Amino acid sequence: RIAALGTAAQLKSRVGGETVELHDADGNVIDAVAADGTVAGVRRALDTIAARGTEGSISVRRPTLDDVFLALTEGSAPAGARPETQKELA
């Protein structure tokens, strides 16, 4: 069954934009704030994370085709059949 049509960029844009993620020493995401991909948007996200007082390393993450697949198929698999997905933080 076809769940969606479009280019990779079009499908990724349906899932969301960039996210600034804060990682602990083990690489686990401990905070994440949505950004719009602009310098100003990333700056706002960094300011938000800094205001929370948590320390760690930063990365900017864009949606992947895996994210698109999971977003489009969530709820269509039998209970327990889906892999655990990362919790979206805002």
Side-chain angles (χ1 to χ4, degrees):
R1 172 175 91 122
I2 297 173
L5 295 174
T7 65
Q10 290 168 334
L11 295 172
K12 289 176 189 179
S13 71
R14 289 177 57 179
V15 173
E18 288 81 8
T19 303
V20 176
E21 296 180 336
L22 180 68
H23 302 266
D24 64 14
D26 295 325
N28 300 311
V29 176
I30 55 175
D31 199 356
V33 177
D36 61 10
T38 65
V39 171
V42 171
R43 186 171 290 127
R44 281 189 301 272
L46 289 171
D47 290 344
T48 299
I49 290 172
R52 294 176 181 165
T54 310
E55 294 293 325
S57 61
I58 294 289
S59 67
V60 177
R61 184 179 179 286
R62 291 186 170 164
T64 65
L65 287 176
D66 287 339
D67 296 326
V68 172
F69 174 80
L70 291 172
L72 291 172
T73 60
E74 185 175 42
S76 63
R82 286 180 285 144
E84 185 175 317
T85 59
Q86 187 176 15
K87 179 181 173 186
E88 183 178 333
L89 302 171

